[in-house]
Amino acid sequence: MSLLTHVLACLFGMGSWVAINGMWVELPLVVLEIPEGWYLPSYLTVIIQMANVGPLFITLMHRFRPGALDERPVIYCIVALGVVATLLLAFFWKRTVTFAGAERSVALLVLSFLLSVVDCTSSVTFLPFMMRLGPQYLTTYFAGEGLSGLVPALVALIQGVGLVHCRNATDVNSTTGGGGGLQAINQPANFSTQAFFIFLSAMMVVCLGAFVLLNHHPAVVRVGKGHHRYSGEESAGDKREQGLLLEGLAMEQRSMLAPSEPPPRERRSTFGMGTYSRGELAFIFLVLAWVNALTNAVLPSVQSFSCLPYGNQAYHLAATMAAVANPVACFIAMFTPIRSLGFMLCLTVVGTGFGAYIMAVAASSPCPPLVDSPSGVAIIVVSWILFVLTLSYVKVIIGVILRDEGHSALVWCGAVVQLGSMLGAISMFPLVSVYGLFKSGDPCNTRCLN
């Protein structure tokens, strides 16, 4: 295995969702200076789902025009678009225009849509491209995808995003005669939002450079030899070998059609590899949609509700450690890839159980169980870590399984990831943003009166 190829695959994967993940972690600073305020997360949720037109187009092309679309030009276009959009965001995110009688952050919303198109389309283009390399590099790619959330979170932590200082409200409002108690005061950031968006643009440049090297570096090309290639890329020698192979397969098929040995139709795979039956593949895709709905939409939408009642430190610890758990799960899967469907189901049930506890805590905010106890803080932080760890492992193993099923399987893998995320977001948006079923806790006043 080539260390260089592993590094490039990781850097390539980091560019998959780094732009939108970076936008989310920067929200506490962004919302303070735009007219939309904290309604922006709701707008972003809708914008990201609208951006699924990209994956829909790619998936339909693979379905109705198989082999007609090469992912590489598409990847070059979307990554270049990501570089330009994040750079423009650094300079225009605060610009507003008057629309329908009110100030609107049109530039921010339009650029966010373009970045969403980039990241959503990466799900159905980056994974199929990884078919050009060996299966061991797919796990490294998933590790990089996990780092696409961790790296912006760590940079935002250094920046001081969302950090508040609890000060006596009597001191804060002494000039106006305010009451007592503690009041949350936002601390100034260590560097500007503009610098953060420039950092995201640099990350997209790194992703583009890694992709170029994965296509053209001689060491990577040598590593890619011996693996399956896309149609239309075979050399003359490869085609002769395939002709001999097909001739042999034809003879074998004639013998298999004999009455004494009927073909095992119940084991035929949708993607032609024959490793898993249609029912098993349906189960795998169902688990994939469920896991991504939970990890990408349902639970992240209530993270603040589940953690802030225990204090600001608990919130930041849970968010940071959960981000660390994602790449850790990828590294575990790299060395212990357990492909058992039964084990996958058990991990999904366990991860869903932790998610159910987190959801129950969020629903009981601002007075969840053990709100005034250190054990409450420990339980919610550990629950977030184990929730992300178990379900991230499931996602990686499903990716490895579908990689063996072929190029088309990875295209549908990306499509199902986006479908599950979209259904989760659509389910949670009215509960959180319309009906207001979840109440936020106060990071400075955690006590509840019975």
Side-chain angles (χ1 to χ4, degrees):
M1 293 188 293
S2 167
L3 177 60
L4 174 62
T5 308
H6 277 293
V7 172
L8 293 176
C10 183
L11 294 176
F12 177 57
M14 285 177 63
S16 58
W17 280 91
V18 70
I20 290 301
N21 287 334
M23 175 67 74
W24 280 109
V25 299
E26 193 70 3
L27 280 180
L29 291 183
V30 172
V31 298
L32 297 177
E33 301 191 49
I34 60 172
E36 288 79 8
W38 277 107
Y39 285 103
L40 180 61
S42 300
Y43 297 156
L44 282 180
T45 302
V46 176
I47 286 172
I48 292 171
Q49 303 319 312
M50 292 172 58
N52 278 308
V53 294
L56 178 62
F57 172 76
I58 299 296
T59 305
L60 291 177
M61 282 291 294
H62 280 286
R63 174 63 179 85
F64 296 106
R65 297 288 302 276
L69 182 66
D70 185 355
E71 285 84 10
R72 289 174 297 177
V74 179
I75 293 175
Y76 277 119
C77 291
I78 63 173
V79 177
L81 177 61
V83 173
V84 175
T86 47
L87 189 60
L88 291 176
L89 197 62
F91 297 98
F92 296 101
W93 69 275
K94 288 195 294 185
R95 300 290 181 88
T96 60
V97 297
T98 302
F99 180 77
E103 292 292 315
R104 309 287 183 185
S105 303
V106 175
L108 175 64
L109 297 176
V110 170
L111 292 172
S112 296
F113 172 75
L114 295 178
L115 291 177
S116 300
V117 171
V118 171
D119 290 1
C120 291
T121 308
S122 73
S123 296
V124 292
T125 53
F126 284 22
L127 276 176
F129 169 77
M130 293 303 296
M131 278 290 295
R132 297 171 57 86
L133 305 175
Q136 65 271 24
Y137 301 110
L138 184 64
T139 307
T140 309
Y141 166 84
F142 278 116
E145 193 174 82
L147 290 174
S148 72
L150 174 61
V151 172
L154 293 178
V155 174
L157 192 63
I158 297 172
Q159 184 185 15
V161 170
L163 293 180
V164 297
H165 176 67
C166 297
R167 187 179 301 176
N168 193 307
T170 304
D171 299 333
V172 176
N173 302 318
S174 59
T175 59
T176 60
L182 295 176
Q183 182 173 339
I185 305 297
N186 288 295
Q187 295 183 358
N190 295 321
F191 53 88
S192 67
T193 300
Q194 182 184 62
F196 182 83
F197 286 141
I198 292 176
F199 162 76
L200 293 183
S201 183
M203 291 291 296
M204 294 303 298
V205 171
V206 170
C207 173
L208 181 60
F211 181 62
V212 171
L213 292 176
L214 284 173
N215 278 283
H216 302 292
H217 196 283
V220 180
V221 172
R222 287 195 298 271
V223 169
K225 288 182 178 179
H227 297 288
H228 294 291
R229 297 172 178 172
Y230 290 125
S231 60
E233 295 182 337
E234 296 89 347
S235 63
D238 293 331
K239 292 180 178 179
R240 286 195 297 270
E241 291 176 4
Q242 288 183 3
L244 294 173
L245 177 62
L246 290 174
E247 183 180 351
L249 287 175
M251 296 178 61
E252 182 180 355
Q253 288 172 353
R254 285 195 294 270
S255 65
M256 289 176 64
L257 291 176
S260 59
E261 294 184 25
R265 296 179 59 185
E266 69 280 5
R267 295 296 298 176
R268 291 184 63 186
S269 168
T270 303
F271 305 106
M273 300 299 292
T275 308
Y276 294 93
S277 67
R278 295 177 185 269
E280 289 171 334
L281 283 173
F283 166 75
I284 291 172
F285 280 122
L286 181 63
V287 170
L288 182 65
W290 172 256
V291 167
N292 279 278
L294 293 182
T295 57
N296 296 345
V298 175
L299 271 301
S301 65
V302 298
Q303 186 171 44
S304 61
F305 301 107
S306 67
C307 297
L308 278 180
Y310 297 99
N312 194 60
Q313 184 178 5
Y315 172 75
H316 282 280
L317 187 60
T320 304
M321 295 306 296
V324 172
N326 193 318
V328 168
C330 296
F331 283 113
I332 293 175
M334 182 184 298
F335 298 103
T336 56
I338 303 175
R339 304 190 184 198
S340 167
L341 298 187
F343 182 71
M344 180 193 304
L345 177 61
C346 291
L347 277 186
T348 303
V349 171
V350 170
T352 302
F354 286 115
Y357 174 77
I358 293 170
M359 183 63 70
V361 170
S364 60
S365 177
C367 297
L370 304 173
V371 66
D372 294 322
S373 170
S375 59
V377 176
I379 292 174
I380 192 63
V381 171
V382 171
S383 295
W384 268 104
I385 294 173
L386 295 179
F387 164 75
V388 174
L389 187 69
T390 53
L391 297 190
S392 294
Y393 184 90
V394 171
K395 288 194 288 185
V396 175
I397 293 302
I398 290 178
V400 172
I401 288 174
L402 294 179
R403 194 271 177 201
D404 292 341
E405 289 296 303
H407 176 269
S408 179
L410 283 182
V411 174
W412 283 102
C413 175
V416 171
V417 166
Q418 291 304 117
L419 176 64
S421 303
M422 180 181 68
L423 293 177
I426 292 175
S427 301
M428 293 304 296
F429 178 77
L431 300 180
V432 176
S433 302
V434 178
Y435 299 107
L437 298 183
F438 298 90
K439 306 297 180 183
S440 180
D442 189 336
C444 293
N445 300 282
T446 60
R447 291 189 176 277
C448 294
L449 298 177
N450 296 324

